[in-house]
Amino acid sequence: MAGRPSVRAVGGRDGEGDRVTGVEGGAGRVAGGGPLLLGVRHHGPGSARAVRAALEAARPRIVLIEGPPEADSLIPLAAEEDMRPPVALLAHAVDEPGRSAFWPLAEFSPEWVAIRWALRHEVPARFIDLPATHTLAWGRDGRDEPVGEETDGTPDAGSGGADGHASAPLSPSAPSPAPPPASEADVRVDPLAVLADAAGYDDPERWWEDVVEHRGTGERDAFAPFVVLEEAMGALREVYGTGGHERDLVREAYMRLQVRAAQREFGDAVAVVCGAWHVPALREKTTVAADRALVKGLPKVKADMTWVPWTNRRLARVSGYGAGIDSPGWYGHLFSAPDRPVERWMTKVAGLLRDEDRIVSSAHVIEAVRLAETLAVMRGRPLPGLGETTDAVRAVMCEGSDVPLALVHDRLVVGDVLGEVPQAAPAVPLQRDLDRIQRRLRLRPEALERELELDLRKETDAGRSTLLHRLRLLGVAWGEAVASWGSTGTFRETWRLRWEPELSVRIAEAGVWGTTVLGAATAKAEADAVSAQGLAEVTALAERCLLAELPDALPVVMRVLADRAALDADVGHLAQALPALVRSLRYGDVRGTDTGALAEVAAGLAERIFVGLPPACVGLDADAAEEMRRHVDAVQGAVALLAEAPPAGDPAADRPDPDLRGRWHSVLRLLSVRDTVSGILRGRAVRLLLDEGELAQDEAARLMGLVLSPGTPPAEGAAWIEGFVGGGSGGGMLLVHDERLLGLVDAWLTGVPAEAFTDVLPLLRRTFSAYEPGVRRTLGELVRRGPGERASATAAGSAPPGFAPDLDMERADAVVPVVRLLLGLDGGSRGHVENTDDDTDDDRDDKNLAGVA
């Protein structure tokens, strides 16, 4: 190994033009025999360049690649114009689509380079790893863990963070690593980290850049890196064995069998591209019988395979990908940059920062390049690496700030690249239908997260909303509904979209429900309704069916809902179910869906809640009372909507019950005066009646005075206060504007005995800490003035400082034009005010504004 080995190309031509069929020289090579083994790092641009150079020099008659053999028929698709990496081979069990595995490939993956080289030179290419039919079944017999949905399908021994593969032209004199302690015998070793440590590096990625990425492809001997690497991996395997993964023995036995089969067909003109860790095992002299014994009797399942788009983020190690790398965007740049990689990288960074409105000039780029080169010299590196360029960008372009640097890391070092797969690639029918709908709605999958504003009054936006809701019902979480800023109208939706590669697995799983998105969502909704555990789950499903526009599934869901509602006597369950039903009425009204059956069920649920709520509120402990308070709040909002919303499609029809709100108020009155009801519920009932105008302020003050009298236990009084002014209900402003109530609270609080104050303090702190800072400051100022000053001001009939004694209508009217202008109500524009009703008269707007004033 002291000198460079003499190598003649396998199946190529020698210096005189005569064809040769063997490779002479190299570790373990015998002149005239043996395949060309190219050990690689799975996602290494240095490995990719070295593989391309070796294949060009060797000109083999067949290329064997580590990967599932079921994908052999998919290899020609890699030459299609529409195929753009990163992509991945996806295998899933036909009978159990959730059992799946990925084999990702980037532009700088050596396997991808080998595939493209073979297709360009019309040389056969085959995958030789353990078939996916066994990989997916592994673990069912208890031999090992099953392959997960987010693995790369190639769980190589010692993968760790660097996948256990490297292709560095190592120095033959590198020291041998010490054997692992006995306690670590079963831990998967990371060969890249071991080699880096042996070379004196504390960072495997930095070592990889120095010995591979920065060496280029200018060496005369294209095979030297692989020869030296084979020796290094052989030394590591002598120490670590299989590196802690028993499955590798089986995989390597299968690969040896495939290499022998190729040799029988093509002679020794065979090139094998595989993980560097496996090269010594493939070179090992074993018998065919021994290898067949290892792979005999493996479990299997029926598997399907196809190409799917992949993303740079899923190539990153932080995503949990076993063969992940830290900087896929940086590696892609190194692979694709023909020259001056540092200068070109700094130009990319400057363009990104300029797009974000940061001032970056050409001088910044020049100085950043100079600084990166200087840092490389000071650190003893052959060329600036990612560390040097990052430090230079931080100092020169980001002015020492890590905030814009985080953007550079996210957008460029990792990247948002999403691959593309041609339409000719095999896919389940559901995927085909989804592709067709995406093209029709102009809603392309993107790796970068983005927000999508939808106006359901527009046909295209309504279709997009329907698609996203149907996919969520199928478990394909492409989009997440978020709050719409500046809008409360039910015809406005905001979605946060991001396409992740594993969604392809979810689509394959959902394919069991149907061949179209509509049919699959309908079947899934019907099945979910039957299997639902609780009433609230069924009502939520009914709401989702309306949002997804599944008219065929809604009758089944409603039948299950009616049956469950008739049998469920738990008021808490009924109270949880009612709000979803009422929201469904509103959505149905906007989307033009017939929700008459929903209105009937909702009215029946409300009636049962009215009857069962008072007894259910008796004898509750603190936690149960707090939970019931939330139910009361939810029912309050649902009753308000239900009493106002006519059945969809028939605006002239009678409301479900004109006296619905009146009966609810009767329930609240009963709760507010019943001594056996918890204080928090009585306080909340009084507050709701006060807000609804069903209770005068004098009466509310009287009830508060009674509950805060000395005869009431302090803990009960504190609970009543929390129910009345707590829970994020705007109680702070109520106390600010009504000094009588504030005086009652203040007087009660100052009169609480010392021994009881410690018990009520946490409850009061929880109540008042929820107020806005400005409200707390105002309350503090009012309390600081003292009860005497407040009492005298009240007796004199004057208002507290900062408040008028009564509403000044003239000043309020002067504000209305400005508010109308801010809300876009002038000039016939109502862009920011959204209401599902047709009543949009100026009179109604003025009434609303007057209420705000």
Side-chain angles (χ1 to χ4, degrees):
M1 293 300 297
R4 179 172 296 170
S6 173
V7 182
R8 289 200 305 170
V10 177
R13 298 184 180 276
D14 61 12
E16 300 179 357
D18 297 328
R19 189 163 188 83
V20 295
T21 59
V23 177
E24 296 180 1
R29 302 297 290 266
V30 178
L36 176 64
L37 301 182
L38 305 178
V40 301
R41 183 187 188 188
H42 280 320
H43 300 302
S47 287
R49 287 194 300 265
V51 165
R52 184 165 55 193
L55 292 178
E56 286 291 345
R59 297 284 175 167
R61 296 173 58 193
I62 185 172
V63 178
L64 304 181
I65 303 167
E66 182 181 335
E70 293 94 338
D72 285 350
S73 60
L74 302 177
I75 289 179
L77 292 174
E80 295 288 336
E81 183 178 355
D82 296 337
M83 178 73 87
R84 295 186 178 90
V87 293
L89 290 166
L90 165 63
H92 65 87
V94 175
D95 298 330
E96 193 178 351
R99 297 185 65 85
S100 57
F102 294 103
W103 285 260
L105 297 173
E107 181 185 14
F108 51 84
S109 297
E111 297 89 346
W112 180 260
V113 170
I115 290 173
R116 295 298 296 264
W117 185 92
L119 292 174
R120 185 167 60 252
H121 293 83
E122 298 182 354
V123 172
R126 298 175 185 170
F127 289 113
I128 60 169
D129 201 355
L130 193 68
T133 184
H134 300 307
T135 304
L136 295 175
W138 204 289
R140 289 187 170 184
D141 58 354
R143 295 177 59 183
D144 204 348
E145 295 180 0
V147 175
E149 297 170 356
E150 297 181 13
T151 70
D152 66 337
T154 56
D156 301 283
S159 69
D163 196 30
H165 305 291
S167 63
L170 305 173
S171 170
S173 59
S176 300
S183 60
E184 300 178 6
D186 295 331
V187 178
R188 296 178 67 182
V189 64
D190 180 359
L192 204 63
V194 174
L195 294 173
D197 182 67
Y201 283 76
D202 58 358
D203 183 1
E205 292 294 328
R206 188 161 59 88
W207 171 81
W208 171 261
E209 284 191 346
D210 284 353
V211 300
V212 178
E213 306 306 337
H214 296 162
R215 292 217 173 185
T217 57
E219 295 197 40
R220 294 176 54 193
D221 191 344
F223 307 103
F226 301 105
V227 173
V228 178
L229 178 62
E230 182 176 343
E231 180 183 359
M233 289 295 144
L236 287 175
R237 291 194 68 131
E238 288 180 4
V239 177
Y240 291 96
T242 61
H245 207 301
E246 175 187 357
R247 191 188 313 179
D248 275 355
L249 294 175
V250 179
R251 296 176 56 215
E252 290 161 353
Y254 188 87
M255 286 192 278
R256 285 192 295 266
L257 292 174
Q258 299 306 304
V259 172
R260 291 192 187 100
Q263 285 183 286
R264 288 195 298 270
E265 186 176 355
F266 295 96
D268 287 333
V270 176
V272 181
V273 179
C274 65
W277 181 259
H278 303 301
V279 172
L282 298 187
R283 185 77 65 193
E284 184 181 352
K285 300 298 182 181
T286 60
T287 64
V288 174
D291 287 341
R292 287 178 176 172
L294 282 174
V295 301
K296 183 179 180 181
L298 291 178
K300 62 171 59 179
V301 296
K302 186 178 180 181
D304 275 347
M305 181 161 284
T306 185
W307 289 105
V308 295
W310 204 251
T311 67
N312 269 12
R313 294 187 184 279
R314 301 303 295 177
L315 286 172
R317 186 176 304 164
V318 294
S319 69
Y321 172 37
I325 52 180
D326 289 334
S327 50
W330 167 252
Y331 274 5
H333 169 78
L334 291 179
F335 182 74
S336 59
D339 59 355
R340 297 182 174 274
V342 177
E343 290 84 345
R344 294 177 184 274
W345 178 258
M346 293 300 184
T347 303
K348 284 184 179 180
V349 173
L352 172 64
L353 294 177
R354 286 169 185 161
D355 291 341
E356 297 297 325
D357 295 329
R358 294 190 65 87
I359 300 176
V360 180
S361 66
S362 300
H364 285 89
V365 176
I366 295 172
E367 292 303 319
V369 172
R370 288 176 178 174
L371 179 56
E373 292 174 345
T374 303
L375 290 173
V377 173
M378 295 176 62
R379 296 171 182 176
R381 307 195 65 182
L383 285 174
L386 181 59
E388 286 69 37
T389 57
T390 299
D391 290 343
V393 168
R394 179 192 290 110
V396 177
M397 298 186 186
C398 300
E399 300 177 350
S401 173
D402 285 337
V403 175
L405 192 66
L407 178 68
V408 173
H409 181 274
D410 184 67
R411 298 282 183 85
L412 293 182
V413 177
V414 176
D416 291 306
V417 180
L418 175 64
E420 295 184 15
V421 172
Q423 293 296 317
V428 295
L430 182 62
Q431 179 68 65
R432 295 289 186 202
D433 186 59
L434 176 59
D435 293 340
R436 179 185 59 79
I437 297 174
Q438 288 172 335
R439 290 194 300 271
R440 177 172 59 83
L441 297 176
R442 301 188 298 279
L443 194 61
R444 293 186 57 185
E446 296 180 6
L448 180 64
E449 184 178 281
R450 65 188 179 101
E451 284 197 356
L452 181 66
E453 294 281 350
L454 300 179
D455 185 343
L456 302 184
R457 296 170 298 184
K458 300 178 180 178
E459 182 178 354
T460 299
D461 283 1
R464 291 172 174 176
S465 171
T466 299
L467 173 63
L468 294 172
H469 280 294
R470 288 174 179 174
L471 290 178
R472 286 194 65 83
L473 200 148
L474 288 171
V476 182
W478 178 16
E480 177 186 1
V482 297
S484 296
W485 293 103
S487 172
T488 57
T490 55
F491 58 80
R492 183 80 65 184
E493 283 185 354
T494 303
W495 290 84
R496 185 175 292 122
L497 303 182
R498 172 182 254 173
W499 186 265
E500 298 286 0
E502 57 265 25
L503 295 181
S504 300
V505 179
R506 302 287 178 262
I507 294 172
E509 289 181 291
V512 301
W513 298 106
T515 57
T516 66
V517 175
L518 174 60
T522 299
K524 181 70 163 52
E526 293 175 350
D528 288 348
V530 175
S531 61
Q533 298 298 319
L535 183 60
E537 189 175 339
V538 182
T539 55
L541 182 61
E543 181 180 8
R544 296 170 67 187
C545 287
L546 283 170
L547 295 172
E549 294 188 15
L550 303 177
D552 293 338
L554 195 57
V556 177
V557 176
M558 292 308 304
R559 183 170 62 251
V560 174
L561 176 59
D563 294 342
R564 296 285 179 88
L567 297 176
D568 200 329
D570 191 313
V571 175
H573 294 168
L574 300 177
Q576 283 181 307
L578 184 61
L581 282 181
V582 176
R583 286 195 305 268
S584 300
L585 291 175
R586 295 187 69 201
Y587 291 132
D589 182 48
V590 173
R591 297 167 183 266
T593 307
D594 184 7
T595 56
L598 276 177
E600 294 179 4
V601 175
L605 282 181
E607 190 65 38
R608 295 181 60 194
I609 291 172
F610 297 164
V611 173
L613 187 60
C617 293
V618 174
L620 300 179
D621 61 14
D623 293 336
E626 172 61 24
E627 182 179 1
M628 188 61 73
R629 182 195 63 79
R630 291 194 293 267
H631 292 329
V632 170
D633 287 345
V635 173
Q636 165 72 16
V639 168
L641 292 175
L642 186 60
E644 294 176 357
D650 188 9
D654 293 334
R655 289 179 172 82
D657 189 342
D659 195 35
L660 191 68
R661 194 176 284 216
R663 291 206 302 279
W664 171 240
H665 293 159
S666 299
V667 174
L668 293 178
R669 289 192 188 92
L670 183 59
L671 293 177
S672 68
V673 298
R674 181 170 288 185
D675 293 338
T676 55
V677 174
S678 172
I680 191 173
L681 293 173
R682 285 187 284 134
R684 177 60 64 176
V686 172
R687 175 61 191 279
L688 294 178
L689 290 171
L690 181 64
D691 290 344
E692 289 282 302
E694 296 296 317
L695 192 67
Q697 287 197 353
D698 292 341
E699 179 64 14
R702 186 185 71 83
L703 293 173
M704 178 181 282
L706 290 175
V707 79
L708 299 183
S709 62
T712 304
E716 187 70 13
W720 196 98
I721 292 175
E722 183 182 18
F724 186 76
V725 297
S729 60
M733 291 303 298
L734 182 64
L735 294 179
V736 167
H737 287 280
D738 195 328
E739 291 230 357
R740 291 173 301 173
L741 300 181
L742 179 60
L744 288 172
V745 175
D746 188 24
W748 170 80
L749 186 59
T750 57
V752 173
E755 61 274 10
F757 186 80
T758 304
D759 296 332
V760 302
L761 182 59
L763 190 61
L764 295 173
R765 182 177 180 85
R766 183 176 64 186
T767 301
F768 292 101
S769 64
Y771 294 164
E772 294 289 336
V775 174
R776 291 203 300 269
R777 284 194 300 269
T778 304
L779 288 174
E781 177 63 24
L782 293 174
V783 171
R784 186 187 63 81
R785 290 166 44 216
E789 187 177 347
R790 288 199 304 267
S792 61
T794 303
S798 61
F803 299 97
D806 200 357
L807 178 64
D808 189 336
M809 295 303 300
E810 183 177 354
R811 295 182 64 186
D813 290 340
V815 176
V816 171
V818 179
V819 177
R820 290 179 58 86
L821 181 62
L822 292 175
L823 297 181
L825 298 177
D826 285 340
S829 173
R830 305 178 185 274
H832 293 283
V833 177
E834 298 159 356
N835 199 304
T836 57
D837 298 329
D838 293 330
D839 182 9
T840 56
D841 303 331
D842 289 348
D843 291 342
R844 172 161 182 160
D845 293 331
D846 290 339
K847 291 177 182 177
N848 292 336
L849 295 176
V852 172

